[in-house]
Amino acid sequence: ASTLGASAAQSGRYFGAAIAAGKLSNSTYTGILNREFNSVTPENEMKWDATEPSQGSFNYSGGDRILSQGQSMGAKVRGHALLWYQQEPGWAQSMSGTALRNAMMNHVTQVATHYKGKIYAWDVVNEAFADGGSGGRRDSNLQRTGNDWIEAAFKAARAADPNAKLCYNDYNTDGVNAKSTGIYNMVKDFKARGVPIDCVGFQSHLGTSIPGDYQSNLQRFAALGVDVQITELDVAQGGNQANIYATVTRACLAVSRCTGITVWGIRDSDSWRTGENPLLFDNSGNKKAAYTSVLNAL
Ligand code: XIL
């Protein structure tokens, strides 16, 4: 096939992009989006600060705009993200203890209920594990409400939207390392105890190299009985960019439970990694070598 989405669909997978509501009036942007992708993720519009700017007062305008764009394309919509220690609204940043825990669970329930039946997969919890060698949780006000906050969030999300796949999503999990193993152990424990979890997202914000065990790391999670998804792929520009994109694409295709790939933006100028040119289209919307490399690998 001649587009990313149609090529991914040949093996039953999707190829998605993170998109921004504020860019949907740009015709170069929407031209590429409508042509190439069959999944969308809101880059910011479904985050806590956007959806609940003051406590108990919900604003779904940006998220709904992304949802309707996805629906108009016949695309999957990935929900991102119900609970994350970044982009918390100010009122939540200053909360703790039982009051925060209750606010967290209410947030999960309200947002998942608003989008019930519309979301393919939710990143229920984003970036809860620490970097480095500890393999443990990241300190945050969310974590300080008690170690069970993650499973409580997954249970609340399942109750609110039983048909959405529920994912744990993180970065620096691009091979077998202390952080990915900490997450692996949590998922294994959740599966053993019946905590509802369906998928693990590998953000895959990559530099100029990729660990040799990228695929086998995906495979060990899949063997636990969860889907895996590449959720925020971008790769620093450099001699290896096209090869690294192809390696990630081939790894997903080699793992039967890898259901799809999402790139974190469309053109280099849309990327959050300013100056790194990490995406598949240049600033003018032209296909880069990395694009051709992915298409050939799909
Ligand atoms: C980024 C967005 O791309 C930026 O626009 C925003 O300013 C900060 O967040 N991990 C994630 C994403 O899970 O939500 C982040 O997105 C990038 C890192």
Side-chain angles (χ1 to χ4, degrees), residues 205-264:
H205 296 295
L206 296 169
T208 53
S209 66
I210 182 171
D213 56 359
Y214 185 90
Q215 179 181 319
S216 58
N217 187 49
L218 298 181
Q219 185 61 55
R220 72 169 175 154
F221 279 85
L224 293 175
V226 290
D227 288 346
V228 297
Q229 300 165 358
I230 313 308
T231 52
E232 305 186 14
L233 180 61
D234 50 20
V235 181
Q237 180 88 64
N240 283 326
Q241 186 179 51
N243 288 332
I244 292 171
Y245 265 107
T247 299
V248 171
T249 303
R250 283 193 292 261
C252 182
L253 264 64
V255 174
S256 58
R257 293 200 71 150
C258 183
T259 60
I261 299 172
T262 296
V263 288
W264 204 245

Side-chain angles (χ1 to χ4, degrees), residues 97-118:
T98 304
L100 176 59
R101 174 65 76 96
N102 291 340
M104 290 158 62
M105 296 308 139
N106 184 57
H107 181 75
V108 170
T109 298
Q110 295 297 323
V111 177
T113 298
H114 177 80
Y115 290 110
K116 180 181 179 179
K118 312 275 175 53

Side-chain angles (χ1 to χ4, degrees), residues 47-52 83 87-89 91-92 104 107 142:
K47 292 173 181 174
W48 198 353
D49 58 353
T51 50
E52 195 180 0
L83 292 177
Q87 292 180 268
E88 289 182 26
W91 61 265
M104 290 158 62
H107 181 75
L142 309 177

Side-chain angles (χ1 to χ4, degrees), residues 89-164:
W91 61 265
Q93 290 176 31
S94 58
M95 285 179 87
S96 63
T98 304
L100 176 59
R101 174 65 76 96
N102 291 340
M104 290 158 62
M105 296 308 139
N106 184 57
H107 181 75
V108 170
T109 298
Q110 295 297 323
V111 177
T113 298
H114 177 80
Y115 290 110
K116 180 181 179 179
K118 312 275 175 53
I119 299 295
Y120 165 69
W122 263 113
D123 292 330
V124 177
V125 170
N126 196 33
E127 300 184 358
F129 276 72
D131 292 311
S134 77
R137 299 286 181 85
R138 172 192 298 282
D139 181 55
S140 70
N141 64 338
L142 309 177
Q143 179 62 28
R144 290 191 293 271
T145 70
N147 204 52
D148 64 339
W149 71 279
I150 298 181
E151 61 195 83
F154 275 82
K155 289 173 186 167
R158 179 71 97 223
D161 186 355
N163 291 325

